[in-house]
C-alpha cells in the first residue's frame, strides 16, 4: 500500500496520520484514490496529456518554458499538471488489468436531432450541440442496465454506486486533461446534461473548478474525437473500472440494416477500456453494445 501511495505522489506519513476507512483505521485503495483525486485525476487518452485536480492552476505561458540550444535540442519541462499526473497514470497501468473493446456506432439518429436543433439550441443555451451529450446520455442509461461499470475498486471487492458520477475529461489547451464530475448524472436528461458538461468545461479552462468538482466519479468519458481521431486507448481513471473514449464521427460507407445495400452514414468508434479484474469481456462488450444501441435507436428529437 505504501508503494502505491508513493507511486501516486502521496506522502505515506500524511496518509497514515489521516487514517483510513478500513477496519481499525486501515488505509484502503479507495482512500488512496480520494487523496489522489484532491490533487490529480487521471482519465486521459494515451499520448494526449495528463490530468490535474481542481486545485491546480495551469498557465501554459508560465509552466511550459522551452530552453533552446543553438542548433540543438529543445528542452520542454513538464507542466505541473503532467508532473502530478504521471505517477497516477503509471499507478493505473500497474494496478488495473487494462483490456479494450471497440464498437462502431451509427450516429444518424443523433445527426437528425443535431441538424433540427442546431441553431435553436445555440440561441437558447449559448453553446453548440455536439455529439458528446448524446453519448453521455446513452452511457448513463447503459450504466443502469450494467451497474458493475458504475463502481469503484476496493482491496478485494467492487463497490457499486447508487448514483452516476460522470467524469468528463477536459483538455487544457494541450497542457493536460482534468476530469471534473457531473454529479447525479443519472437524474439529468439530454439538455440538462449538456448544460452540466459545458459548465464544467468552461470552469475547468478558466481555472474555476471547486474541490467537489473533482471527486465522486464512478465512470469517465474522454472525447478526443473533436480532433478527428479514429481509435483511442484511454487509461482507466482510478479507482473506477471503466472509461469510454468517443472518437471522430465521419461519413462512411456501410451496409444498410436488414439488407445488402451500401449506404453512407455518419459513424464513429466507441472505445472502452475496462479493468479485467472486475469486468469480463462479455459484460464489457454487452455494455458498450448497449451504448451503441441507445445512440442508434433512440428518438432524440423527442428527447430534445
Amino acid at each position: 500500500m505504501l508503494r502505491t501511495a508513493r507511486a501516486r505522489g502521496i506522502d505515506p506519513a500524511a496518509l497514515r496520520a489521516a487514517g483510513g476507512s478500513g477496519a481499525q483505521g486501515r488505509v484502503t485503495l479507495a482512500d488512496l484514490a480520494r487523496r489522489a483525486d484532491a490533487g490529480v485525476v487521471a482519465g486521459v487518452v494515451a499520448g494526449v496529456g495528463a490530468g490535474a485536480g481542481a486545485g491546480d492552476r495551469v498557465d501554459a505561458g508560465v509552466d511550459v518554458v522551452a530552453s533552446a540550444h543553438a542548433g540543438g535540442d529543445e528542452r520542454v519541462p513538464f507542466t505541473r499538471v503532467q508532473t502530478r499526473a504521471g505517477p497516477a497514470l503509471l499507478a493505473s497501468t500497474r494496478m488495473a488489468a487494462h483490456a479494450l473493446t471497440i464498437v462502431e456506432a451509427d450516429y444518424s439518429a443523433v445527426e437528425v436531432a443535431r441538424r433540427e436543433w442546431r441553431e435553436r439550441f445555440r440561441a437558447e443555451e449559448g453553446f453548440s450541440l455536439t455529439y458528446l451529450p448524446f453519448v453521455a446520455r446513452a452511457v448513463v442509461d447503459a450504466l443502469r442496465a450494467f451497474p458493475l461499470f458504475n463502481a469503484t475498486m476496493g482491496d478485494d471487492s467492487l463497490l457499486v454506486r447508487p448514483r452516476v458520477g460522470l467524469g468528463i475529461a477536459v483538455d487544457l489547451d494541450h497542457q493536460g486533461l482534468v476530469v471534473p464530475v457531473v454529479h447525479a448524472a443519472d437524474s439529468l436528461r439530454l439538455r440538462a446534461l449538456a448544460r452540466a458538461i459545458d459548465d464544467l468545461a468552461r470552469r475547468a479552462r478558466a481555472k474555476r473548478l471547486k474541490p467537489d468538482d473533482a471527486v465522486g466519479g464512478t465512470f469517465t468519458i474522454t472525447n478526443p474525437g473533436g480532433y478527428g481521431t479514429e481509435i483511442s486507448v484511454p487509461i482507466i481513471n482510478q479507482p473506477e473500472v471503466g472509461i469510454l473514449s468517443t472518437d471522430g464521427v465521419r461519413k462512411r460507407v456501410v451496409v444498410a440494416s436488414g439488407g445488402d445495400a451500401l449506404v453512407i452514414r455518419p459513424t464513429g468508434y466507441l472505445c472502452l477500456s475496462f479493468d479485467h479484474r472486475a469486468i469480463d469481456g462479455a459484460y464489457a462488450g454487452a455494455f458498450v453494445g448497449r451504448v451503441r444501441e441507445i445512440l442508434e435507436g433512440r428518438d432524440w428529437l423527442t428527447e430534445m
Side-chain angles (χ1 to χ4, degrees):
M1 188 66 69
L2 295 183
R3 182 181 299 174
T4 302
R6 293 189 187 97
R8 293 190 180 196
I10 299 170
D11 181 5
L15 192 63
R16 282 195 298 266
S21 61
Q24 298 180 339
R26 183 168 56 88
V27 175
T28 67
L29 287 175
D31 296 323
L32 286 179
R34 280 190 291 272
R35 290 297 297 269
D37 280 343
V40 59
V41 183
V44 304
V45 179
V48 174
D56 280 320
R57 294 294 177 264
V58 182
D59 302 300
V62 175
D63 285 347
V64 180
V65 181
S67 298
H69 301 282
D73 297 334
E74 182 179 22
R75 185 179 66 85
V76 182
F78 292 142
T79 66
R80 286 195 295 271
V81 174
Q82 293 167 327
T83 299
R84 299 189 67 180
L89 294 171
L90 288 174
S92 182
T93 58
R94 290 167 180 164
M95 291 166 58
H98 276 73
L100 177 71
T101 188
I102 301 171
V103 300
E104 184 178 14
D106 185 340
Y107 284 81
S108 295
V110 172
E111 195 56 39
V112 168
R114 289 183 72 239
R115 281 198 305 266
E116 179 75 20
W117 278 84
R118 182 177 286 116
E119 300 304 325
R120 181 177 171 184
F121 186 90
R122 175 178 278 280
E124 292 178 355
E125 301 292 347
F127 58 92
S128 297
L129 181 61
T130 66
Y131 294 108
L132 179 57
F134 295 90
V135 176
R137 182 76 168 93
V139 165
V140 166
D141 281 3
L143 288 171
R144 292 194 183 101
F146 296 88
L148 295 185
F149 268 110
N150 194 54
T152 54
M153 287 288 291
D155 287 338
D156 55 4
S157 63
L158 195 61
L159 186 61
V160 179
R161 304 291 183 172
R163 304 305 299 265
V164 177
L166 188 64
I168 302 292
V170 178
D171 172 58
L172 299 176
D173 194 26
H174 307 309
Q175 300 303 312
L177 301 177
V178 294
V179 187
V181 175
V182 179
H183 297 287
D186 49 317
S187 68
L188 305 177
R189 293 181 66 83
L190 179 65
R191 290 181 72 127
L193 195 52
R195 288 187 204 108
I197 292 171
D198 180 73
D199 173 65
L200 286 175
R202 288 175 185 271
R203 289 194 289 114
R205 293 178 180 126
K207 295 173 276 189
R208 293 201 306 267
L209 288 176
K210 302 172 184 177
D212 285 349
D213 292 325
V215 298
T218 60
F219 188 89
T220 294
I221 297 175
T222 184
N223 181 41
Y227 299 106
T229 57
E230 189 86 3
I231 292 175
S232 302
V233 183
I235 298 174
I236 296 169
N237 186 13
Q238 293 296 326
E240 297 166 17
V241 296
I243 178 172
L244 184 73
S245 172
T246 62
D247 285 279
V249 177
R250 59 178 55 87
K251 290 183 177 180
R252 295 181 174 91
V253 177
V254 299
V255 178
S257 177
D260 295 327
L262 297 180
V263 294
I264 297 175
R265 295 281 189 268
T267 69
Y269 294 106
L270 302 172
C271 306
L272 175 69
S273 289
F274 60 98
D275 192 334
H276 218 318
R277 294 176 299 168
I279 306 293
D280 62 35
Y283 193 89
F287 167 71
V288 75
R290 180 59 183 148
V291 175
R292 174 178 60 188
E293 229 174 68
I294 296 169
L295 284 171
E296 294 179 347
R298 176 162 294 172
D299 182 354
W300 292 108
L301 279 174
T302 301
E303 176 85 6
M304 294 297 301

